[in-house]
Amino acid sequence: MTDSLTGLIRELPKTELHLHIEGTFDPELMFEIAQRNDVSLPYESVDEIRAAYEFENLQSFLDLYYAGATVLQTQRDFHDLTWSYLQKMKTENVRHVEIFFDPQTHTDRGVPFSEVVEGIYGALNDAHGRLGVSSGLILCFLRHLSEEAAFDTLEQALPYKDWITAVGLDSAEAGHPPSKFENVFKACRDEGFLAVAHAGEEGPAEYIRQALDLLKVRRIDHGVRCTEDPQLVRRLKQEQIPLTVCPLSNVKLRIFDQLTDHNLKKLLDTGLCVMINSDDPAYFGGYLQQNYIETAEALSLNKNDIVQLARNSFIASFLTSEDKQQHLADIDRIAARH
Ligand code: ADE
Ligand code: ZN
C-alpha cells in the first residue's frame, strides 16, 4: 500500500462504534492490575498471555476474555482500562467512540454495578475534557444468560440512565437468537435507550432480521453473514442500516480464513453503510488504525473507499446531526489534501 494511503488513514478523523472495553485489556495492564489486586494469573509473562491468543471460534475467545476480565475489581481498575484505551484512540485521530461494556461479567462475580459504570464513565468524561474525544456508552446484555438476568441488569442500570446511550447484545451467538430478548429490549426502548445487537457474526442471517424486526436495533454489530440472504442485503442497503464490521476480529475468530477473503469491500461496493472497528483489539492483534491499514492492504481499498468508511463511521454514530456535519466536513477537507 502507498505511504499516501497510510497517511490518509492516520490523518482522517474516525469513530469507533464496535469496541468492547473489556476487550482492550492489554496483557501489560492485565499484569499490573492483577498485581495491584493480588490476583494470580495462570501466565508467567506478557509473552505467554499473547501466545495464548489463538482462537478456534467465538466461544474459545470468550473463555479467555471472561477469564481476563476477572482481574477487574474496583472503580479505579475500570477507569484505568478505559483511560488507557482513550489515550490510544487520541493518537489515532479517533474523535468519537461508542463503547460496549458487559456489566453481568462483573456483577455476577460480586463487583457492584456502580463500580463498573462509575469507573468507565469517569474516564469517558475525563477524555472529553482532556483529550477532546467524545463518547457514548452501550450496555450489553450477555445472550448466553437468561432474559430474566437481563431484566435484573436493566434495573441496576436505571439510576445511571443519563450516562448510557444504548443497549446491545453480545457473547455466544449461536443458539441464542435475538428473539430471546424481545421483551427486555422493548422495556429498554420504553426507558429511552437506543438499541443495537451483535448478529450475523457466527449466527445466521435470520438473526439479523430478528434484531431489526424484534429488537428494533439502529445498527447491526458485525452483520457480515447478511450476504447469505440477498433480500436482506437489499433491505440493509435501502434502509441504510449500519453494519459495524470488525475485520481483524473476523479473521481471528475464523469467520473468514484470511483478510483477503473478507466481504467488507463487496458490502461497501453494494452501497451498504459499513465501517471498520476493532471489537476486542487487545486480543485480535490491532486497534482501529491497524484494522484500517491491514484491511486496506488486503482488499486493495482505494482512497474513495477509505474516505467512505471514515464517513460511514460518523454517519452511523449516535452523534447529533450538527456534530456529524462538522466531522464530515473535516474529513472532506483532509481528503481533498491527499
Ligand atoms: N464479546 C466480546 N467480543 C465479542 C464478539 N466478537 N462477539 C460476541 N460477543 C463478544
Ligand atoms: Zn463485538
Side-chain angles (χ1 to χ4, degrees), residues 185-223:
F185 267 65
K186 163 96 175 59
C188 291
R189 294 194 315 277
D190 287 347
E191 289 287 352
F193 295 107
L194 301 173
V196 299
H198 283 54
E201 179 188 21
E202 272 194 354
E206 167 59 17
Y207 285 14
I208 300 176
R209 287 184 177 280
Q210 286 189 13
L212 294 170
D213 296 333
L214 305 181
L215 308 187
K216 313 229 182 289
V217 299
R218 305 291 189 98
R219 301 194 292 249
I220 296 288
D221 297 312
H222 293 296

Coordinates of all heavy atoms in Angstrom, one line a residue, residues 185-223:
F185 N -35.6 -5.8 25.5 CA -35.3 -4.7 24.6 C -36.5 -3.7 24.5 O -36.3 -2.5 24.4 CB -34.9 -5.2 23.2 CG -33.4 -5.4 23.1 CD1 -32.7 -6.4 23.9 CD2 -32.6 -4.6 22.2 CE1 -31.3 -6.5 23.8 CE2 -31.2 -4.8 22.2 CZ -30.6 -5.7 22.9
K186 N -37.7 -4.3 24.5 CA -38.9 -3.4 24.5 C -38.9 -2.5 25.7 O -39.1 -1.3 25.6 CB -40.1 -4.2 24.4 CG -41.4 -3.5 24.8 CD -42.1 -3.1 23.5 CE -43.5 -2.5 23.7 NZ -43.6 -1.3 24.6
A187 N -38.6 -3.1 26.9 CA -38.5 -2.3 28.1 C -37.4 -1.3 28.1 O -37.6 -0.1 28.5 CB -38.3 -3.3 29.3
C188 N -36.3 -1.6 27.5 CA -35.2 -0.7 27.4 C -35.6 0.5 26.5 O -35.3 1.7 26.8 CB -33.9 -1.4 26.8 SG -33.2 -2.5 27.9
R189 N -36.2 0.2 25.3 CA -36.6 1.3 24.4 C -37.6 2.2 25.1 O -37.6 3.4 24.9 CB -37.1 0.7 23.1 CG -36.0 -0.1 22.3 CD -36.5 -0.3 20.8 NE -37.9 -0.8 20.8 CZ -38.3 -2.1 20.9 NH1 -37.4 -3.0 21.1 NH2 -39.5 -2.4 20.8
D190 N -38.5 1.6 25.9 CA -39.5 2.4 26.6 C -38.8 3.3 27.6 O -39.4 4.3 27.9 CB -40.5 1.4 27.3 CG -41.5 0.8 26.3 OD1 -41.5 1.2 25.1 OD2 -42.2 -0.2 26.7
E191 N -37.7 2.9 28.1 CA -36.9 3.7 29.0 C -36.1 4.8 28.3 O -35.4 5.6 28.9 CB -36.0 2.9 29.9 CG -36.7 2.0 30.9 CD -37.2 2.8 32.1 OE1 -37.0 4.0 32.2 OE2 -38.0 2.2 32.9
G192 N -36.1 4.7 27.0 CA -35.4 5.8 26.2 C -34.0 5.4 25.7 O -33.3 6.2 25.1
F193 N -33.6 4.1 25.9 CA -32.3 3.6 25.4 C -32.5 3.3 23.9 O -33.5 2.8 23.5 CB -31.9 2.3 26.1 CG -31.6 2.5 27.5 CD1 -32.5 2.0 28.5 CD2 -30.4 3.1 28.0 CE1 -32.2 2.1 29.9 CE2 -30.2 3.3 29.3 CZ -31.0 2.8 30.3
L194 N -31.5 3.7 23.1 CA -31.4 3.2 21.8 C -31.0 1.7 21.8 O -30.5 1.2 22.9 CB -30.4 4.0 21.0 CG -30.7 5.5 20.9 CD1 -29.5 6.3 20.2 CD2 -32.0 5.8 20.1
A195 N -31.0 1.0 20.7 CA -30.7 -0.4 20.7 C -29.8 -0.8 19.5 O -29.9 -0.3 18.4 CB -32.0 -1.3 20.6
V196 N -28.9 -1.7 19.8 CA -28.0 -2.3 18.8 C -27.9 -3.8 19.2 O -28.3 -4.1 20.3 CB -26.6 -1.7 18.7 CG1 -26.6 -0.2 18.4 CG2 -25.8 -1.9 20.1
A197 N -27.4 -4.6 18.3 CA -27.2 -6.0 18.7 C -26.2 -6.7 17.8 O -26.1 -6.4 16.6 CB -28.5 -6.8 18.6
H198 N -25.3 -7.6 18.4 CA -24.5 -8.4 17.6 C -25.4 -9.4 16.8 O -26.3 -10.0 17.5 CB -23.5 -9.2 18.4 CG -22.4 -8.5 19.0 ND1 -22.5 -7.3 19.7 CD2 -21.0 -8.7 18.9 CE1 -21.3 -6.9 20.0 NE2 -20.4 -7.7 19.6
A199 N -25.2 -9.5 15.6 CA -26.0 -10.5 14.8 C -25.2 -10.8 13.5 O -24.6 -9.9 12.9 CB -27.4 -10.0 14.5
G200 N -25.3 -12.1 13.0 CA -24.7 -12.4 11.8 C -23.2 -12.4 11.8 O -22.5 -12.1 10.9
E201 N -22.6 -12.7 13.0 CA -21.2 -12.9 13.2 C -21.0 -14.4 13.0 O -20.5 -14.9 12.0 CB -20.7 -12.4 14.6 CG -19.2 -12.6 14.8 CD -18.8 -12.4 16.3 OE1 -19.6 -12.4 17.2 OE2 -17.6 -12.1 16.5
E202 N -21.4 -15.2 14.1 CA -21.4 -16.7 13.9 C -22.8 -17.2 13.6 O -23.0 -18.3 13.1 CB -20.9 -17.3 15.2 CG -19.4 -17.5 15.2 CD -18.9 -18.5 16.3 OE1 -19.7 -19.0 17.1 OE2 -17.7 -18.8 16.2
G203 N -23.8 -16.4 14.0 CA -25.2 -16.7 13.8 C -25.6 -16.4 12.3 O -25.0 -15.7 11.6
P204 N -26.8 -17.0 12.0 CA -27.3 -16.9 10.6 C -27.9 -15.5 10.3 O -28.2 -14.7 11.2 CB -28.4 -18.0 10.5 CG -28.9 -18.0 11.9 CD -27.7 -17.8 12.8
A205 N -28.1 -15.3 9.0 CA -28.7 -14.0 8.5 C -30.1 -13.8 9.2 O -30.5 -12.6 9.5 CB -28.9 -14.0 7.0
E206 N -30.8 -14.9 9.5 CA -32.1 -14.8 10.2 C -32.0 -14.0 11.5 O -32.9 -13.3 11.9 CB -32.6 -16.2 10.4 CG -33.8 -16.3 11.4 CD -35.0 -15.5 11.0 OE1 -35.2 -15.1 9.8 OE2 -35.9 -15.3 11.9
Y207 N -30.8 -14.1 12.2 CA -30.7 -13.4 13.5 C -30.6 -11.8 13.2 O -30.9 -11.0 14.1 CB -29.4 -13.8 14.2 CG -29.5 -15.2 14.9 CD1 -30.5 -16.1 14.6 CD2 -28.5 -15.5 15.8 CE1 -30.6 -17.3 15.3 CE2 -28.6 -16.7 16.5 CZ -29.6 -17.6 16.2 OH -29.6 -18.8 16.8
I208 N -30.1 -11.5 12.0 CA -30.0 -10.0 11.7 C -31.5 -9.5 11.5 O -31.9 -8.5 12.0 CB -29.2 -9.8 10.4 CG1 -27.8 -10.3 10.6 CG2 -29.2 -8.4 9.9 CD1 -26.9 -10.2 9.3
R209 N -32.3 -10.3 10.8 CA -33.7 -10.0 10.6 C -34.4 -9.8 12.0 O -35.1 -8.9 12.2 CB -34.4 -11.1 9.8 CG -34.1 -11.1 8.3 CD -34.9 -12.1 7.6 NE -34.7 -12.1 6.2 CZ -35.2 -11.2 5.3 NH1 -36.0 -10.3 5.7 NH2 -34.9 -11.3 4.1
Q210 N -34.2 -10.8 12.8 CA -34.8 -10.7 14.2 C -34.3 -9.5 14.9 O -35.2 -8.8 15.6 CB -34.4 -12.0 15.0 CG -35.1 -13.2 14.6 CD -34.9 -14.4 15.6 OE1 -34.4 -14.1 16.7 NE2 -35.2 -15.6 15.2
A211 N -33.1 -9.2 14.8 CA -32.6 -8.0 15.6 C -33.3 -6.7 15.1 O -33.6 -5.8 15.9 CB -31.0 -7.9 15.4
L212 N -33.5 -6.7 13.8 CA -34.2 -5.5 13.2 C -35.7 -5.5 13.6 O -36.2 -4.5 14.0 CB -34.0 -5.5 11.7 CG -32.6 -5.3 11.1 CD1 -32.6 -5.6 9.6 CD2 -32.1 -3.9 11.5
D213 N -36.3 -6.6 13.4 CA -37.8 -6.6 13.5 C -38.3 -6.8 14.9 O -39.3 -6.2 15.3 CB -38.3 -7.8 12.6 CG -38.1 -7.6 11.2 OD1 -37.9 -6.4 10.8 OD2 -38.0 -8.5 10.4
L214 N -37.5 -7.5 15.7 CA -38.0 -7.8 17.1 C -37.3 -6.9 18.1 O -38.0 -6.4 19.1 CB -37.7 -9.3 17.5 CG -38.3 -10.3 16.6 CD1 -38.0 -11.7 17.1 CD2 -39.8 -10.1 16.4
L215 N -36.0 -6.6 17.9 CA -35.3 -5.7 18.9 C -35.3 -4.3 18.5 O -34.9 -3.4 19.3 CB -33.9 -6.2 19.1 CG -33.7 -7.7 19.5 CD1 -32.3 -8.0 19.9 CD2 -34.6 -8.1 20.7
K216 N -35.7 -4.0 17.2 CA -35.7 -2.7 16.7 C -34.4 -1.9 16.8 O -34.3 -0.8 17.3 CB -36.9 -1.9 17.3 CG -38.2 -2.7 17.3 CD -39.4 -1.9 16.7 CE -40.7 -2.7 16.8 NZ -40.7 -3.8 15.9
V217 N -33.3 -2.6 16.4 CA -32.0 -2.0 16.6 C -31.7 -1.0 15.5 O -32.3 -1.0 14.4 CB -30.9 -3.1 16.5 CG1 -31.1 -4.1 17.7 CG2 -30.8 -3.8 15.2
R218 N -30.8 0.0 15.9 CA -30.4 1.1 14.9 C -29.2 0.6 14.1 O -28.9 1.3 13.1 CB -30.1 2.3 15.7 CG -31.1 2.8 16.6 CD -32.3 3.4 15.8 NE -33.2 4.0 16.7 CZ -33.2 5.4 16.9 NH1 -32.4 6.2 16.2 NH2 -34.1 5.9 17.7
R219 N -28.4 -0.3 14.7 CA -27.3 -0.8 13.9 C -27.2 -2.3 14.2 O -27.6 -2.8 15.3 CB -26.0 -0.2 14.5 CG -25.9 1.3 14.4 CD -24.4 1.8 14.7 NE -23.9 1.6 16.0 CZ -23.6 2.6 16.9 NH1 -23.8 3.8 16.5 NH2 -23.1 2.3 18.0
I220 N -26.5 -3.0 13.3 CA -26.2 -4.4 13.5 C -24.7 -4.5 13.7 O -23.9 -3.9 13.0 CB -26.5 -5.2 12.2 CG1 -28.0 -5.2 12.0 CG2 -26.0 -6.6 12.4 CD1 -28.9 -6.0 12.9
D221 N -24.3 -5.1 14.8 CA -22.8 -5.3 15.1 C -22.4 -6.6 14.4 O -23.0 -7.7 14.6 CB -22.6 -5.4 16.6 CG -23.0 -4.0 17.2 OD1 -22.6 -3.0 16.7 OD2 -23.8 -4.0 18.2
H222 N -21.4 -6.5 13.6 CA -20.9 -7.5 12.6 C -21.8 -7.5 11.4 O -21.6 -6.7 10.5 CB -20.7 -8.9 13.2 CG -19.6 -8.9 14.3 ND1 -18.3 -8.7 14.0 CD2 -19.7 -9.2 15.6 CE1 -17.6 -8.9 15.1 NE2 -18.4 -9.1 16.1
G223 N -22.7 -8.4 11.4 CA -23.7 -8.5 10.2 C -23.1 -9.1 8.9 O -23.8 -9.1 7.9

